[in-house]
Amino acid sequence: MQKKIGLILTGGGARAAYQVGVLKAIARILPRTAPNPFAVVCGTSAGAINAVALAMNADNLRTGVKYLLGFWKGFHAENIYRSDPIGVFTNAGLWLAGWLLSSMGINKLNHVSLLDNSPLKRLLTETLPLDKIQESLDAGFLHALGITASGYTSEQSVTFFQSQKDVQSWQRAYRLGLPTRIGIDHLLASSAIPFLFPAVRINREYFGDGSMRQIAPISSALHLGAKRVLIIGMGQSRLEPPKRIRVNNYPSLAQIAGHALNSIFLDSMEVDLERLRRINHTVSLVHEERRSHTPLGHVDVLVIEPSQPIDKIARRYSSNLPWSIRFMLRGLGAMRSSGANLVSYLLFEKGFCRALIELGYQDAMNRREEILAFLDSGSESRS
């Protein structure tokens, strides 16, 4: 029996369209009737929505990808958050009022975020038959699905998982795994980008975007049974440090916000990958006879990331945002080139999403043989 393959879909707001392109390529590479080759699927933030779509259609990868393509290719911002002028400015005003009142010790309007994502809740409720997740598990096409969110009170990274019965919960420093039946609230909590979207209460605690405090994003897939992991990331690995240039202008609010979001969504994965590679190197130095006596084991990992900077692509499509959102973002400095990072997380418009899908598709097709070798022709066992 071959080792279970895990798929990790990271967060990144509208950037998650890139994942769909990569998955489209994998579906094209594998036989038409091939099931989802990933026995373990883990998603965070917008990647959680993609993960659920695959889990629901684990019996056929192309069916799951077809659903995702229909989901992402027709996107408009209004499908994710209220973009009408009344909705935008009323919510922004309430958010500012709530912040001012909270600073005076008055806990009023404290459930308000900068944007109202009630359209996303309606969209997910109408389009995701979540009962199909259990059907995939019962049929043996899926071993486990994990959705990660961050607890605002406990400050823990919590992976809610639905799985086969042999998967046990876990607890480590600032992270734990809890068995549950995945619902819409788990997806909304995992994708609740701080400040932009409201926190979601699950059981006794409010949760926000799963990328926050996710200090070991690969570990959830390993806890759920994966021995080999394919990661579709949103950043670009830097083999050399970036060039430092002299700047005269103070960073705008949008530039600071974009930097903060990049830190939340991108940095922890890079650190965890570096840690995993060090462990793999250490394991390779241990004599084969002694490896069975150590808790460490080699984990094969394949990472697919954008070959082009996503913020530069976002600049080309930023004018597609509704004028009310552009007006608000312009006040933060986001409509300038330095604010493109922030825009890229909110740019749920079909032009941008389709460009990222195409980029993901081409990036994956360029690594066709490498992906095939990693997946071993999709013949991995799920039992």
Side-chain angles (χ1 to χ4, degrees):
M1 181 179 69
Q2 297 186 16
K3 296 178 180 179
K4 291 182 175 66
I5 302 177
L7 173 67
I8 297 178
L9 301 175
T10 61
R15 292 172 172 231
Y18 176 82
Q19 299 169 352
V20 181
V22 175
L23 292 168
K24 176 185 175 182
I26 294 175
R28 181 66 59 87
I29 291 170
L30 296 178
R32 180 177 295 274
T33 58
N36 185 344
F38 308 106
V40 175
V41 182
C42 293
T44 303
S45 192
I49 299 172
N50 292 340
V52 163
L54 290 182
M56 290 181 345
N57 298 281
D59 60 325
N60 187 273
L61 179 61
R62 290 202 177 194
T63 300
V65 170
K66 183 178 180 180
Y67 172 87
L68 285 172
L69 287 170
F71 192 78
W72 282 91
K73 278 193 169 184
F75 257 154
H76 292 286
E78 63 188 22
N79 301 131
I80 307 301
Y81 49 81
R82 286 192 63 179
S83 59
D84 59 289
I86 294 177
V88 171
F89 299 126
T90 298
N91 220 65
L94 290 173
W95 180 82
L96 179 60
W99 180 79
L100 291 173
L101 290 172
S102 295
S103 67
M104 295 185 290
I106 303 173
N107 292 323
K108 300 291 185 181
L109 302 175
N110 56 353
H111 291 181
V112 177
S113 56
L114 190 59
L115 295 172
D116 176 0
N117 67 341
S118 57
L120 175 61
K121 183 175 183 177
R122 287 195 299 271
L123 177 65
L124 296 179
T125 302
E126 294 170 358
T127 59
L128 292 180
L130 297 182
D131 288 343
K132 293 184 67 176
I133 297 172
Q134 191 59 46
E135 293 177 11
S136 295
L137 290 166
D138 293 340
F141 292 111
L142 181 70
H143 184 72
L145 167 68
I147 303 298
T148 300
S150 181
Y152 278 113
T153 302
S154 66
E155 299 186 348
Q156 289 184 311
S157 176
V158 180
T159 297
F160 299 97
F161 66 89
Q162 191 169 342
S163 68
Q164 302 284 355
K165 294 181 179 180
D166 62 336
V167 178
Q168 302 297 316
S169 59
W170 67 88
Q171 184 164 4
R172 300 292 186 270
Y174 294 105
R175 52 193 169 93
L176 70 156
L178 296 177
T180 189
R181 196 173 185 92
I182 300 299
I184 297 298
D185 283 348
H186 297 100
L187 301 182
L188 292 173
S190 182
S191 57
I193 300 175
F195 301 109
L196 296 178
F197 299 141
V200 178
R201 183 163 187 158
I202 300 176
N203 300 326
R204 297 167 296 179
E205 187 176 8
Y206 281 96
F207 287 87
D209 198 291
S211 297
M212 297 186 293
R213 305 213 67 164
Q214 193 179 27
I215 58 177
I218 301 173
S219 67
S220 293
L222 303 182
H223 280 295
L224 292 173
K227 302 299 181 183
R228 309 169 67 202
V229 180
L230 188 148
I231 301 168
I232 306 180
M234 294 294 103
Q236 290 182 299
S237 298
R238 287 176 170 169
L239 300 179
E240 298 180 357
K243 295 181 179 180
R244 300 178 64 87
I245 59 175
R246 180 181 295 277
V247 294
N248 297 316
N249 296 325
Y250 191 82
S252 65
L253 286 175
Q255 188 175 358
I256 294 171
H259 179 76
L261 290 177
N262 281 353
S263 298
I264 291 172
F265 287 109
L266 307 181
D267 292 354
S268 59
M269 179 60 75
E270 293 299 323
V271 172
D272 206 24
L273 277 169
E274 183 178 346
R275 183 188 302 118
L276 178 62
R277 287 163 179 154
R278 286 202 307 268
I279 292 174
N280 282 344
H281 177 68
T282 301
V283 170
S284 70
L285 299 177
V286 178
H287 193 277
E288 188 172 352
E289 293 182 358
R290 296 187 176 182
R291 290 181 189 176
S292 60
H293 301 291
T294 175
L296 300 179
H298 181 91
V299 178
D300 292 326
V301 61
L302 177 64
V303 183
I304 301 178
E305 296 177 312
S307 59
Q308 301 176 28
I310 289 182
D311 59 329
K312 291 185 178 180
I313 300 175
R315 291 175 202 168
R316 303 203 302 264
Y317 295 94
S318 59
S319 61
N320 292 354
L321 282 166
W323 76 265
S324 55
I325 300 296
R326 295 201 310 271
F327 180 85
M328 181 181 68
L329 292 177
R330 187 173 291 112
L332 301 175
M335 301 310 291
R336 300 197 294 268
S337 59
S338 61
N341 263 325
L342 175 59
V343 171
S344 70
Y345 289 99
L346 295 174
L347 193 46
F348 291 95
E349 294 292 335
K350 62 181 181 181
F352 178 63
C353 292
R354 292 183 180 191
L356 291 191
I357 290 172
E358 180 60 24
L359 176 63
Y361 180 80
Q362 294 300 331
D363 285 349
M365 292 302 289
N366 289 338
R367 300 174 65 179
R368 175 191 177 99
E369 298 305 320
E370 188 179 1
I371 291 172
L372 268 177
F374 185 83
L375 296 179
D376 193 21
S377 299
S379 60
E380 181 266 344
S381 173
R382 300 167 190 282
S383 59

